[in-house]
Amino acid sequence: MKKHTFMLALTIVLSVVLGACSSNNSNNGAAIETNLTAKEMVDQMLSKVEQPSLMELDAATVEQLYHLNPELLEDYSIRMPMMNVKTNEIAVLKVKDVKDMTTVEDAIKARATDVQKQFETYLPDQYENAKNYKLIKKGNYFLFVIADPADQDKLVADFDTYFTEK
């Protein structure tokens, strides 16, 4: 009897866990498509929401700051402030292989932690922005944004408009 109850409980727990994992994707299994490159997305978002002067990161800098091999990415555009007095950062990353999604997500979270540590005792308002970053997953794309909360919401809403479900 105990063995039967244990197996039933285990089955229920596994069903809940697997169900939660499978519904974690915002598109519920539909293919997500866009006609824009990562750079075009970032350029369009920044044309609508004013940000401080941002510079585009090259592959070596991406590897250094994000602890991420750019070879895992099919396309990306990452912008960060030219001067170290703002935390504003925006990144659109398209992952080549779905098996690398967790690796890329972990790298982005590590970057967010690095920015938080950098501003923890430096500028309180920028530290708050860094703590409240947005990380959005859409298909095999990630959007990472550190900005004023109102600007973040606008950037996320704009990002969502670049995709269609097929």
Side-chain angles (χ1 to χ4, degrees), residues 102-161:
T102 303
T103 301
V104 174
E105 183 173 9
D106 291 346
I108 295 169
K109 288 177 180 177
R111 172 63 184 155
T113 300
D114 289 347
V115 174
Q116 291 166 16
K117 286 178 185 172
Q118 186 177 359
F119 282 87
E120 192 170 30
T121 58
Y122 183 39
L123 295 169
D125 63 325
Q126 295 304 305
Y127 175 60
E128 283 302 312
N129 287 349
K131 284 192 331 188
N132 296 308
Y133 70 90
K134 298 273 188 192
L135 178 57
I136 308 298
K137 182 175 128 183
K138 198 114 173 124
N140 61 334
Y141 284 84
F142 284 104
L143 169 66
F144 171 59
V145 179
I146 299 175
D148 178 80
D151 290 344
Q152 282 186 160
D153 292 341
K154 291 175 190 171
L155 292 165
V156 169
D158 201 34
F159 178 73
D160 284 340
T161 66

Side-chain angles (χ1 to χ4, degrees), residues 55-124:
M55 64 180 181
E56 181 86 32
L57 299 188
D58 61 17
T61 309
V62 170
E63 195 160 8
Q64 178 187 7
L65 295 179
Y66 277 73
H67 313 288
L68 175 66
N69 182 350
E71 294 293 318
L72 298 178
L73 305 174
E74 185 175 321
D75 187 23
Y76 68 90
S77 180
I78 302 173
R79 315 276 174 91
M80 64 179 293
M82 294 178 135
M83 297 181 62
N84 198 20
V85 293
K86 295 282 187 184
T87 55
N88 297 55
E89 194 160 322
I90 183 167
V92 172
L93 304 103
K94 181 179 183 184
V95 182
K96 274 185 196 175
D97 193 330
V98 110
K99 72 176 177 53
D100 295 321
M101 292 294 287
T102 303
T103 301
V104 174
E105 183 173 9
D106 291 346
I108 295 169
K109 288 177 180 177
R111 172 63 184 155
T113 300
D114 289 347
V115 174
Q116 291 166 16
K117 286 178 185 172
Q118 186 177 359
F119 282 87
E120 192 170 30
T121 58
Y122 183 39
L123 295 169

